[in-house]
PDB file of all heavy atoms in Angstrom:
ATOM      1  N   ALA Z 159      -1.621  23.718   0.078  1.00  0.00           N
ATOM      2  CA  ALA Z 159      -2.512  22.924   0.945  1.00  0.00           C
ATOM      3  C   ALA Z 159      -3.985  23.131   0.606  1.00  0.00           C
ATOM      4  O   ALA Z 159      -4.829  22.363   1.064  1.00  0.00           O
ATOM      5  CB  ALA Z 159      -2.262  23.266   2.407  1.00  0.00           C
ATOM      6  N   ARG Z 160      -4.295  24.116  -0.202  1.00  0.00           N
ATOM      7  CA  ARG Z 160      -5.697  24.318  -0.609  1.00  0.00           C
ATOM      8  C   ARG Z 160      -6.229  23.127  -1.397  1.00  0.00           C
ATOM      9  O   ARG Z 160      -7.416  22.855  -1.396  1.00  0.00           O
ATOM     10  CB  ARG Z 160      -5.824  25.572  -1.471  1.00  0.00           C
ATOM     11  CG  ARG Z 160      -5.636  26.829  -0.720  1.00  0.00           C
ATOM     12  CD  ARG Z 160      -5.859  28.018  -1.622  1.00  0.00           C
ATOM     13  NE  ARG Z 160      -5.740  29.218  -0.822  1.00  0.00           N
ATOM     14  CZ  ARG Z 160      -5.251  30.347  -1.269  1.00  0.00           C
ATOM     15  NH1 ARG Z 160      -4.869  30.446  -2.515  1.00  0.00           N
ATOM     16  NH2 ARG Z 160      -5.157  31.387  -0.478  1.00  0.00           N
ATOM     17  N   LYS Z 161      -5.326  22.441  -2.089  1.00  0.00           N
ATOM     18  CA  LYS Z 161      -5.742  21.369  -2.998  1.00  0.00           C
ATOM     19  C   LYS Z 161      -5.811  19.992  -2.343  1.00  0.00           C
ATOM     20  O   LYS Z 161      -6.223  19.043  -2.980  1.00  0.00           O
ATOM     21  CB  LYS Z 161      -4.768  21.304  -4.172  1.00  0.00           C
ATOM     22  CG  LYS Z 161      -4.679  22.586  -4.959  1.00  0.00           C
ATOM     23  CD  LYS Z 161      -3.600  22.500  -6.005  1.00  0.00           C
ATOM     24  CE  LYS Z 161      -3.401  23.841  -6.695  1.00  0.00           C
ATOM     25  NZ  LYS Z 161      -2.250  23.814  -7.576  1.00  0.00           N
ATOM     26  N   VAL Z 162      -5.377  19.842  -1.094  1.00  0.00           N
ATOM     27  CA  VAL Z 162      -5.322  18.510  -0.499  1.00  0.00           C
ATOM     28  C   VAL Z 162      -6.730  18.005  -0.162  1.00  0.00           C
ATOM     29  O   VAL Z 162      -7.537  18.733   0.391  1.00  0.00           O
ATOM     30  CB  VAL Z 162      -4.419  18.455   0.764  1.00  0.00           C
ATOM     31  CG1 VAL Z 162      -2.984  18.757   0.421  1.00  0.00           C
ATOM     32  CG2 VAL Z 162      -4.919  19.362   1.847  1.00  0.00           C
ATOM     33  N   PRO Z 163      -7.026  16.734  -0.544  1.00  0.00           N
ATOM     34  CA  PRO Z 163      -8.361  16.194  -0.287  1.00  0.00           C
ATOM     35  C   PRO Z 163      -8.554  15.743   1.160  1.00  0.00           C
ATOM     36  O   PRO Z 163      -9.678  15.673   1.648  1.00  0.00           O
ATOM     37  CB  PRO Z 163      -8.447  14.997  -1.230  1.00  0.00           C
ATOM     38  CG  PRO Z 163      -7.026  14.584  -1.441  1.00  0.00           C
ATOM     39  CD  PRO Z 163      -6.211  15.840  -1.348  1.00  0.00           C
ATOM     40  N   SER Z 164      -7.454  15.429   1.844  1.00  0.00           N
ATOM     41  CA  SER Z 164      -7.563  14.998   3.237  1.00  0.00           C
ATOM     42  C   SER Z 164      -6.251  15.255   3.957  1.00  0.00           C
ATOM     43  O   SER Z 164      -5.216  15.454   3.324  1.00  0.00           O
ATOM     44  CB  SER Z 164      -7.921  13.513   3.318  1.00  0.00           C
ATOM     45  OG  SER Z 164      -6.839  12.732   2.833  1.00  0.00           O
ATOM     46  N   ILE Z 165      -6.338  15.248   5.282  1.00  0.00           N
ATOM     47  CA  ILE Z 165      -5.129  15.421   6.078  1.00  0.00           C
ATOM     48  C   ILE Z 165      -5.073  14.342   7.147  1.00  0.00           C
ATOM     49  O   ILE Z 165      -6.082  13.721   7.475  1.00  0.00           O
ATOM     50  CB  ILE Z 165      -5.028  16.829   6.716  1.00  0.00           C
ATOM     51  CG1 ILE Z 165      -6.150  17.070   7.722  1.00  0.00           C
ATOM     52  CG2 ILE Z 165      -5.012  17.908   5.668  1.00  0.00           C
ATOM     53  CD1 ILE Z 165      -5.974  18.349   8.524  1.00  0.00           C
ATOM     54  N   THR Z 166      -3.867  14.148   7.666  1.00  0.00           N
ATOM     55  CA  THR Z 166      -3.670  13.255   8.802  1.00  0.00           C
ATOM     56  C   THR Z 166      -2.907  14.035   9.868  1.00  0.00           C
ATOM     57  O   THR Z 166      -2.222  15.010   9.563  1.00  0.00           O
ATOM     58  CB  THR Z 166      -2.862  11.994   8.423  1.00  0.00           C
ATOM     59  OG1 THR Z 166      -1.603  12.384   7.884  1.00  0.00           O
ATOM     60  CG2 THR Z 166      -3.608  11.139   7.421  1.00  0.00           C
ATOM     61  N   PHE Z 167      -3.075  13.599  11.103  1.00  0.00           N
ATOM     62  CA  PHE Z 167      -2.316  14.173  12.201  1.00  0.00           C
ATOM     63  C   PHE Z 167      -1.567  13.024  12.868  1.00  0.00           C
ATOM     64  O   PHE Z 167      -2.187  12.060  13.318  1.00  0.00           O
ATOM     65  CB  PHE Z 167      -3.222  14.880  13.213  1.00  0.00           C
ATOM     66  CG  PHE Z 167      -2.471  15.344  14.417  1.00  0.00           C
ATOM     67  CD1 PHE Z 167      -1.615  16.435  14.329  1.00  0.00           C
ATOM     68  CD2 PHE Z 167      -2.575  14.672  15.618  1.00  0.00           C
ATOM     69  CE1 PHE Z 167      -0.887  16.848  15.431  1.00  0.00           C
ATOM     70  CE2 PHE Z 167      -1.853  15.084  16.728  1.00  0.00           C
ATOM     71  CZ  PHE Z 167      -1.010  16.175  16.636  1.00  0.00           C
ATOM     72  N   ASN Z 168      -0.243  13.128  12.894  1.00  0.00           N
ATOM     73  CA  ASN Z 168       0.606  12.041  13.411  1.00  0.00           C
ATOM     74  C   ASN Z 168       0.245  10.702  12.769  1.00  0.00           C
ATOM     75  O   ASN Z 168       0.244   9.667  13.421  1.00  0.00           O
ATOM     76  CB  ASN Z 168       0.532  11.958  14.931  1.00  0.00           C
ATOM     77  CG  ASN Z 168       1.267  13.088  15.616  1.00  0.00           C
ATOM     78  OD1 ASN Z 168       2.093  13.766  15.004  1.00  0.00           O
ATOM     79  ND2 ASN Z 168       0.973  13.311  16.876  1.00  0.00           N
ATOM     80  N   GLY Z 169      -0.108  10.729  11.484  1.00  0.00           N
ATOM     81  CA  GLY Z 169      -0.403   9.512  10.741  1.00  0.00           C
ATOM     82  C   GLY Z 169      -1.821   9.009  10.871  1.00  0.00           C
ATOM     83  O   GLY Z 169      -2.184   8.013  10.250  1.00  0.00           O
ATOM     84  N   VAL Z 170      -2.664   9.669  11.667  1.00  0.00           N
ATOM     85  CA  VAL Z 170      -4.053   9.241  11.881  1.00  0.00           C
ATOM     86  C   VAL Z 170      -4.966  10.145  11.054  1.00  0.00           C
ATOM     87  O   VAL Z 170      -4.809  11.370  11.058  1.00  0.00           O
ATOM     88  CB  VAL Z 170      -4.438   9.334  13.373  1.00  0.00           C
ATOM     89  CG1 VAL Z 170      -5.892   8.957  13.597  1.00  0.00           C
ATOM     90  CG2 VAL Z 170      -3.512   8.458  14.212  1.00  0.00           C
ATOM     91  N   SER Z 171      -5.932   9.540  10.352  1.00  0.00           N
ATOM     92  CA  SER Z 171      -6.867  10.332   9.543  1.00  0.00           C
ATOM     93  C   SER Z 171      -7.603  11.352  10.409  1.00  0.00           C
ATOM     94  O   SER Z 171      -8.028  11.054  11.514  1.00  0.00           O
ATOM     95  CB  SER Z 171      -7.896   9.425   8.875  1.00  0.00           C
ATOM     96  OG  SER Z 171      -7.268   8.649   7.901  1.00  0.00           O
ATOM     97  N   VAL Z 172      -7.739  12.538   9.860  1.00  0.00           N
ATOM     98  CA  VAL Z 172      -8.382  13.649  10.556  1.00  0.00           C
ATOM     99  C   VAL Z 172      -9.767  13.869   9.965  1.00  0.00           C
ATOM    100  O   VAL Z 172      -9.956  13.807   8.751  1.00  0.00           O
ATOM    101  CB  VAL Z 172      -7.533  14.934  10.400  1.00  0.00           C
ATOM    102  CG1 VAL Z 172      -8.278  16.149  10.912  1.00  0.00           C
ATOM    103  CG2 VAL Z 172      -6.212  14.775  11.115  1.00  0.00           C
ATOM    104  N   ARG Z 173     -10.720  14.121  10.840  1.00  0.00           N
ATOM    105  CA  ARG Z 173     -12.073  14.472  10.398  1.00  0.00           C
ATOM    106  C   ARG Z 173     -12.088  15.980  10.175  1.00  0.00           C
ATOM    107  O   ARG Z 173     -11.863  16.758  11.104  1.00  0.00           O
ATOM    108  CB  ARG Z 173     -13.070  14.081  11.485  1.00  0.00           C
ATOM    109  CG  ARG Z 173     -14.471  13.949  11.017  1.00  0.00           C
ATOM    110  CD  ARG Z 173     -15.341  13.265  12.059  1.00  0.00           C
ATOM    111  NE  ARG Z 173     -14.791  13.377  13.402  1.00  0.00           N
ATOM    112  CZ  ARG Z 173     -15.444  13.889  14.443  1.00  0.00           C
ATOM    113  NH1 ARG Z 173     -16.672  14.317  14.310  1.00  0.00           N
ATOM    114  NH2 ARG Z 173     -14.869  13.957  15.628  1.00  0.00           N
ATOM    115  N   LEU Z 174     -12.282  16.409   8.918  1.00  0.00           N
ATOM    116  CA  LEU Z 174     -12.330  17.843   8.616  1.00  0.00           C
ATOM    117  C   LEU Z 174     -13.691  18.392   9.019  1.00  0.00           C
ATOM    118  O   LEU Z 174     -14.727  17.820   8.697  1.00  0.00           O
ATOM    119  CB  LEU Z 174     -12.069  18.094   7.138  1.00  0.00           C
ATOM    120  CG  LEU Z 174     -10.624  17.881   6.699  1.00  0.00           C
ATOM    121  CD1 LEU Z 174     -10.509  17.921   5.187  1.00  0.00           C
ATOM    122  CD2 LEU Z 174      -9.710  18.909   7.330  1.00  0.00           C
TER     123      LEU Z 174
END
Side-chain angles (χ1 to χ4, degrees):
R160 289 183 177 146
K161 301 174 186 172
V162 296
S164 67
I165 64 171
T166 58
F167 174 73
N168 287 343
V170 177
S171 291
V172 171
R173 200 167 23 124
L174 288 170

